[in-house]
Amino acid sequence: MSGESGGKLELPSHAATSAPETRSSKQRHPKPRLARFLRVVAAIALSLVFVQYLKVYLDVGSSSRSVTVPLRAQEYLDKCQLLNVKPGPPPDFNARTQSDRFVHGTKSTLIKNATIWTGRFDGLQVLRADILLDKGLIKRIGDIKHAEIEQYAGLTVIDAAGKWVSPGIIDLHSHLGVYNSPVLAGAFDVNSRKGPVLPWLRALDGLNTHDDAYRLSISGGVTTSLILPGSANAIGGQGVIIKLRPSTDRSPTGLLLENPYETNRSVYNPEAFFRYRQMKHACGENPDRVYSGTRMDTAWAFRQGYEKARQIKQAQDDFCSKATKGDWAGLGAFPEELQWEALVDVLRGRVKVQTHCYETVDLDDLVRITNEFKFSIAAFHHAHETYLVPDTLKSAYGHPPAVALFATNARYKRESYRGSEFAPKILAENGLQVVLKSDHPVLNSRHLIYEAQQAHFYGLAHNLALASVTTTPAKVLGQDHRIGFVKEGYDADLILWDSHPLALGATPQQVWIDGIAQLKAPHLLSKPPPLQVRPKTPNFDKEAAETLQYDGLPPLEPKPSKSRTIVFTNVSAVYLREGQTVREFYAAHEEIGAVQTGEVVIHNGRISCIKTALDSCGYTIDDDAEYIDLEGGAISPGLVTVGSSLGLEEIRSETSTSDGYVIDPLSHVVPEVVGGEGALIRASDGLQFGTRDALLAYRSGVTTAIVAPKSFGFLAGLNVAFSTAGRHKLEEGALVQEASALHVSIHPTGVPSVSTQIAALRHLLLGETKGQLKYAIDKVKNGKIPLVIGIHSADAIASVIILKSEAEAILGNKIKVTLMGATEAHLLAKEIGEADVGVVVSPTRPFPHLWEERRLLPGPPLSGRNAVSELLAHNVSVGVGVIEAWQARNTRFDVAWVALEANGTLSKAEALTLTSTNVEQLLGVATDGVQSDLVATQGGDLLEFSKVVAIISPRRGIVDII
């Protein structure tokens, strides 16, 4: 009773039905007796006829009703047909001659002489070729002759000169535009708190096109991002894939990778093909915390939501099964609910589920739920324990989810405590897809390539590392037919790099999105030849195996050498402290075409001699000496970290693992029992030794940490310098120096005002204080310890400079002031230098998290200098720091990046100074070469992709083997 026309369901046609006619015949009147008999017979016959007639009538009526169709029947049949359309691009997608996102008037571009990482053939294909971009597409790859390009008027030609070209970077997890930068209450649309299950919400409806981060992210090579709702909800809503270039219509819709409107003759026809959508899920601590529930509550919320979707899906399937056969009896309207349609489509396999999920218990919960309701997960995000349970992921319904990770960001809450830098390597070895993502603005997506670089450093294969931010996220999104590869017919989203993309500090020289160059007059860096090839990385197989052996928590404590004498061989360089600076004391030299390295002999934790081809140093080596081959590595001063709460917390979000926060006298009454108005907190009283972040920092060459009391307000207290390898406070050498500087902060927090905070600082310097606070302030006034001010705004910094001058005039002596953070300090570099104010730039790669940080100096390719270089150019004493404890381990890479962006104006020795002697001097820590640790690295120096193999401690008279 149903027909099809051109694959489309059509309404059935029905013939009219007539009821049977009845008539009575005239009869002769029989004789009475016979007549009575005949009347009885006739009555019986008529009764039988009536019954038969009634039966026929009812049957015919029933048949007539079964073909009475609803007025909206064709609409319902269309919807039924759409249920069967599979997701994915149309078969002829790559036959297109112009992109649906092409901007008319865009000139074609020819990139010549490029070294191309295409992403194809498992990420192993590298071509030396030209690339032609036209109408928003990669038109041609190969040796492009002049005759081929004559037709392109106004062609822009770029000579890559052999430099690397890669696909544009794809961020699989971003909140760009919904978690805005700078953060403002009027544009904070990342999370709804209206209930744990909200599949009907759409990130597109909150997408802000005025986020300051778009430009920054593009400058790092990010061309496409999946913008997701936050993780407050079990089911938080629908994500949206955007291209980051400004749209011609300036609208959020104009940013969409796949526009819902007709563009460039491209029309979305869901009857022919169905576009994948994206859905955000979250489990674990976040939804539990927001809704004051437990994991059991969140799991039930998932099951409730999916049971509702399942019921709707089943009702739709049952409806369509009958409707397509023309059986409309009792069907009513097509069963659908707008709120739940996206979740129903998850069950139909037409929505990619992106799930924020960390711990094994949560991963297992979600895997079981996928099997209960028969849907697949595209990727687990954050997923810090996935490397411990790869088989659990392989048990998920449909296919194993990909895993979207941070490289080293962990231990900020309990469910991330077992996070490992070896997770990408281990997961890949188990055959699972690995993605590196930013969770922007948790990490600045501008530097997403840095996540891939770190993953490669810790063991992820080079092809998979590059794929983790290009081809793999494209596949996970269901968009690998148009982005993620350098391939003819694909979107013209490309990056021209100044070095190999996996080399530390790799920076785009140009970024194309839809064939449109995004960087206007980019500031280019000249990178040396060693950075133009894939970096050599250490072997961490042993460490990765131990991580699995100890269920994610391998022992990190260093092991002292059993021998008093250690001989480091094949040493290419030695950097040592000299006063308040660092100098290169030895460098290998080339002789007869071979590099002549040296040996460094350590006895009782001190350098006894540096043996070279020209100087044997005449030292007798013990028979039981231990030899360590540095394979061209180096010995450098131990690094110093500052700016985070390292040593005062183990898990940031767990108060029981932290020292906690001081009571701020500007916003609270300080109890008399701690000194009232004269109270002063010392960080040394709350130190925790042996935290995992401290030990990981030590194993990365950061041997000293300086930390101030944790504070949300104005007055923090006195800092402390301690050894990151210390076991407890009473151990010799564990405390480097107590109470070396007084810390305050000046930030716009509403109440108290910035002007109130400046007034409070003026009172401290020029008014009367009491108690322990007076003791510390008097030292500041006398210039004996520095006043360290956490500050970002250039306007507030100007007020501090004026106050410093005012105080020095009244006090009659100089005071030491160090600015910490100082994102906008570059605007006053000249004035800061003249005022003899020091600066600890933290972080070294700035980001406009807050309004007071918006006027940052981004560094290449957006500016010729970064903040550090700008301040150094004005004779400012500069150190570098971090924000969070987990970042301390990466200090070596931070300062190396600073040096690379200095474009040859900063030597390695000077770079090491920025994170050792300069930091100590700016924070009031007095030390010398005898007290300071040294770091031995294998396979390169401390600022390269080398491996820390030993820490030399003159202070403790030992060498720790890492």
Side-chain angles (χ1 to χ4, degrees):
M1 302 211 23
S2 63
E4 293 187 5
S5 176
K8 185 173 181 179
L9 295 171
E10 302 286 354
L11 289 175
S13 59
H14 304 283
T17 304
S18 302
E21 294 184 345
T22 61
R23 53 187 165 182
S24 58
S25 301
K26 294 183 179 179
Q27 299 179 2
R28 294 180 179 181
H29 294 282
K31 294 179 179 180
R33 188 171 179 183
L34 180 61
R36 284 195 298 270
F37 173 77
L38 291 175
R39 283 197 294 270
V40 171
V41 171
I44 293 171
L46 286 173
S47 297
L48 292 173
V49 169
F50 177 78
V51 171
Q52 190 65 26
Y53 170 83
L54 184 61
K55 181 177 183 297
V56 171
Y57 176 83
L58 291 174
D59 287 344
V60 171
S62 176
S63 175
S64 179
R65 284 196 300 274
S66 72
V67 298
T68 302
V69 297
L71 293 175
R72 298 173 63 190
Q74 188 60 59
E75 174 190 341
Y76 298 157
L77 289 172
D78 289 343
K79 289 184 177 182
C80 288
Q81 182 163 312
L82 285 176
L83 298 183
N84 298 315
V85 179
K86 300 299 182 185
D92 61 345
F93 182 85
N94 290 118
R96 59 187 179 151
T97 58
Q98 105 177 349
S99 171
D100 51 335
R101 292 183 46 83
F102 171 60
V103 176
H104 291 275
T106 301
K107 293 181 179 180
S108 303
T109 299
L110 178 64
I111 306 170
K112 294 185 66 65
N113 305 316
T115 303
I116 309 167
W117 184 84
T118 68
R120 302 182 68 188
F121 303 105
D122 201 25
L124 297 173
Q125 184 185 59
V126 175
L127 303 176
R128 185 66 181 265
D130 309 327
I131 310 173
L132 178 62
L133 312 180
D134 180 55
K135 291 185 172 57
L137 302 177
I138 300 173
K139 187 70 68 174
R140 174 99 154 78
I141 302 171
D143 183 11
I144 301 175
K145 304 300 183 183
H146 179 72
E148 296 182 66
I149 59 175
E150 288 181 341
Q151 61 178 302
Y152 299 101
L155 180 70
T156 299
V157 180
I158 305 290
D159 186 358
K163 289 192 167 55
W164 288 87
V165 170
S166 78
I169 290 173
I170 301 168
D171 192 352
L172 189 65
H173 188 134
S174 176
H175 304 295
L176 179 67
V178 293
Y179 191 141
N180 287 276
S181 303
V183 174
L184 296 170
F188 192 75
D189 295 297
V190 67
N191 279 311
S192 170
R193 297 178 183 241
K194 301 300 183 181
V197 176
L198 305 169
W200 46 86
L201 300 185
R202 304 181 299 185
L204 178 61
D205 297 328
L207 189 65
N208 177 16
T209 59
H210 302 299
D211 193 315
D212 284 2
Y214 284 105
R215 171 174 168 265
L216 296 174
S217 295
I218 289 171
S219 75
V222 180
T223 58
T224 304
S225 292
L226 171 59
I227 309 304
L228 292 167
S231 53
N233 317 98
I235 302 178
Q238 300 165 49
V240 60
I241 306 172
I242 66 168
K243 294 280 192 84
L244 269 60
R245 70 167 176 82
S247 62
T248 53
D249 64 1
R250 302 183 182 182
S251 72
T253 301
L255 297 176
L256 295 178
L257 173 65
E258 297 178 314
N259 199 301
Y261 307 129
E262 179 177 346
T263 54
N264 291 328
R265 302 190 302 277
S266 174
V267 180
Y268 175 40
N269 178 14
E271 293 182 2
F273 67 98
F274 205 90
R275 289 173 172 172
Y276 275 115
R277 289 187 287 174
Q278 313 290 325
M279 178 77 74
K280 176 66 179 293
H281 287 9
C283 53
E285 294 185 32
N286 284 20
D288 293 353
R289 181 182 66 253
V290 170
Y291 294 102
S292 302
T294 66
R295 283 176 165 81
M296 295 180 289
D297 295 303
T298 301
W300 175 241
F302 274 119
R303 296 180 69 212
Q304 271 189 312
Y306 271 106
E307 176 60 17
K308 175 70 173 179
R310 188 198 65 77
Q311 291 174 0
I312 295 172
K313 176 181 179 295
Q314 187 62 54
Q316 291 175 348
D317 292 345
D318 292 345
F319 178 98
C320 292
S321 177
K322 292 182 178 181
T324 55
K325 296 175 184 176
D327 184 3
W328 295 98
L331 281 185
F334 181 79
E336 59 183 341
E337 293 185 43
L338 183 61
Q339 283 186 305
W340 297 98
E341 61 85 22
L343 204 62
V344 173
D345 258 5
V346 171
L347 298 181
R348 296 194 183 280
R350 305 200 295 195
V351 179
K352 299 282 191 176
V353 176
Q354 312 290 344
T355 304
H356 158 123
C357 208
Y358 287 78
E359 281 193 271
T360 298
V361 58
D362 300 313
L363 298 167
D364 191 61
D365 284 349
L366 262 294
V367 165
R368 282 188 283 104
I369 289 172
T370 69
N371 284 288
E372 180 180 0
F373 292 98
K374 305 294 186 288
F375 69 94
S376 296
I377 292 176
F380 279 124
H381 293 238
H382 308 315
H384 282 62
E385 291 190 13
T386 49
Y387 71 98
L388 296 173
V389 289
D391 289 341
T392 295
L393 273 62
K394 294 176 183 180
S395 299
Y397 181 80
H399 59 78
V403 185
L405 301 160
F406 297 126
T408 54
N409 183 9
R411 292 166 297 284
Y412 45 89
K413 52 184 176 179
R414 180 193 173 276
E415 59 190 8
S416 69
Y417 189 58
R418 281 177 163 79
S420 172
E421 61 272 36
F422 307 117
K425 165 186 166 66
I426 295 169
L427 287 164
E429 289 172 349
N430 279 274
L432 294 166
Q433 290 181 303
V434 174
V435 173
L436 276 301
K437 50 91 178 96
S438 73
D439 194 15
H440 180 99
V442 172
L443 297 183
N444 179 1
S445 65
R446 176 187 179 187
H447 304 301
L448 184 51
I449 190 65
Y450 178 45
E451 295 298 290
Q453 292 164 2
Q454 292 177 84
H456 180 48
F457 174 73
Y458 287 112
L460 183 64
H462 67 92
N463 57 317
L464 299 181
L466 274 176
S468 72
V469 292
T470 54
T471 62
T472 307
K475 293 174 182 176
V476 173
L477 290 170
Q479 297 294 334
D480 52 318
H481 58 284
R482 67 180 297 174
I483 58 175
F485 295 83
V486 182
K487 186 177 178 181
E488 292 179 1
Y490 275 56
D491 288 15
D493 299 347
L494 301 173
I495 309 166
L496 173 62
W497 298 93
D498 65 2
S499 53
H500 191 286
L502 292 178
L504 182 67
T507 301
Q509 293 190 328
Q510 189 52 269
V511 179
W512 289 269
I513 302 180
D514 302 317
I516 304 172
Q518 298 298 302
L519 303 179
K520 297 179 180 179
H523 297 269
L524 307 182
L525 298 173
S526 178
K527 297 287 181 68
L531 294 180
Q532 304 303 327
V533 298
R534 189 174 78 231
K536 182 182 177 182
T537 56
N539 186 306
F540 287 103
D541 288 348
K542 176 176 175 290
E543 290 83 353
E546 287 181 347
T547 300
L548 291 175
Q549 178 186 350
Y550 289 94
D551 199 25
L553 298 176
L556 300 174
E557 293 77 11
K559 298 177 181 178
S561 170
K562 296 178 181 179
S563 175
R564 295 187 307 162
T565 303
I566 308 293
V567 180
F568 294 103
T569 63
N570 286 323
V571 180
S572 64
V574 177
Y575 299 92
L576 299 175
R577 292 173 180 244
E578 187 175 63
Q580 293 301 317
T581 188
V582 174
R583 183 168 71 85
E584 185 181 61
F585 272 75
Y586 165 75
H589 65 282
E590 189 170 325
E591 185 176 297
I592 318 177
V595 176
Q596 303 296 313
T597 57
E599 294 183 356
V600 177
V601 181
I602 308 294
H603 186 71
N604 289 336
R606 299 188 184 187
I607 294 180
S608 295
C609 75
I610 300 175
K611 183 180 179 182
T612 69
L614 303 176
D615 183 8
S616 63
C617 78
Y619 183 83
T620 302
I621 299 174
D622 296 344
D623 292 338
D624 65 345
E626 183 175 351
Y627 286 79
I628 299 176
D629 184 356
L630 293 189
E631 302 174 7
I635 293 177
S636 313
L639 306 183
V640 182
T641 183
V642 69
S644 75
S645 297
L646 187 69
L648 292 179
E649 63 185 22
E650 176 75 330
I651 303 173
R652 188 178 70 215
S653 67
E654 295 286 347
T655 56
S656 65
T657 73
S658 168
D659 176 51
Y661 291 88
V662 303
I663 302 171
D664 181 43
L666 273 187
S667 53
H668 298 83
V669 175
V670 181
E672 285 298 325
V673 70
V674 293
E677 293 179 4
L680 184 64
I681 307 303
R682 297 170 180 257
S684 61
D685 292 334
L687 270 183
Q688 300 177 29
F689 285 88
T691 66
R692 298 194 72 79
D693 280 320
L695 292 171
L696 286 167
Y698 186 75
R699 298 171 73 90
S700 301
V702 180
T703 61
T704 301
I706 302 172
V707 63
K710 294 171 65 173
S711 172
F712 281 132
F714 168 71
L715 180 61
L718 294 170
N719 68 17
V720 62
F722 66 97
S723 168
T724 52
R727 294 182 299 170
H728 54 79
K729 192 185 304 185
L730 301 179
E731 181 184 52
E732 184 178 357
L735 285 183
V736 177
Q737 185 173 325
E738 288 195 71
S740 58
L742 178 65
H743 288 247
V744 299
S745 292
I746 297 173
H747 297 294
T749 57
V751 179
S753 66
V754 170
S755 50
T756 300
Q757 295 169 59
I758 296 289
L761 183 58
R762 180 178 289 109
H763 174 72
L764 289 179
L765 292 174
L766 301 177
E768 290 297 322
T769 54
K770 59 184 180 180
Q772 289 292 310
L773 181 59
K774 174 178 172 56
Y775 172 77
I777 285 295
D778 285 348
K779 284 193 170 187
V780 171
K781 291 179 179 180
N782 294 330
K784 293 183 178 179
I785 64 172
L787 176 66
V788 180
I789 305 174
I791 195 168
H792 286 296
S793 165
D795 299 304
I797 291 172
S799 295
V800 167
I801 291 173
I802 293 170
L803 177 56
K804 178 178 184 289
S805 176
E806 178 186 345
E808 288 175 340
I810 294 173
L811 296 172
N813 59 268
K814 294 284 186 181
I815 60 176
K816 300 176 183 177
V817 173
T818 296
L819 308 178
M820 178 79 72
T823 298
E824 295 187 353
H826 65 94
L827 297 172
L828 298 170
K830 176 176 176 291
E831 292 78 6
I832 291 171
E834 292 172 347
D836 194 24
V837 171
V839 176
V840 175
V841 177
S842 175
T844 55
R845 296 181 296 282
F847 183 76
H849 282 288
L850 302 171
W851 187 259
E852 61 179 335
E853 300 171 285
R854 72 192 187 283
R855 295 177 292 182
L856 52 78
L857 190 62
L862 296 179
S863 63
R865 288 175 174 166
N866 58 27
V868 172
S869 295
E870 183 69 14
L871 292 166
L872 289 174
H874 289 87
N875 300 313
V876 177
S877 180
V878 179
V880 299
V882 298
I883 300 297
E884 298 180 33
W886 66 268
Q887 297 171 326
R889 68 182 304 176
N890 294 326
T891 298
R892 56 185 294 210
F893 297 144
D894 292 342
V895 74
W897 205 325
V898 166
L900 288 167
E901 289 189 338
N903 212 18
T905 64
L906 197 64
S907 70
K908 287 190 174 182
E910 290 168 329
L912 290 168
T913 299
L914 295 177
T915 186
S916 57
T917 55
N918 275 19
V919 173
E920 290 175 344
Q921 185 178 9
L922 291 169
L923 274 295
V925 177
T927 186
D928 56 36
V930 175
Q931 293 177 294
S932 302
D933 297 322
L934 296 170
V935 179
T937 52
Q938 192 176 66
D941 62 47
L942 193 53
L943 303 184
E944 298 173 335
F945 276 172
S946 60
K947 186 176 186 179
V948 174
V949 294
I951 306 292
I952 305 158
S953 178
R955 189 165 52 231
R956 294 179 292 147
I958 60 172
V959 174
D960 282 330
I961 306 300
I962 304 299

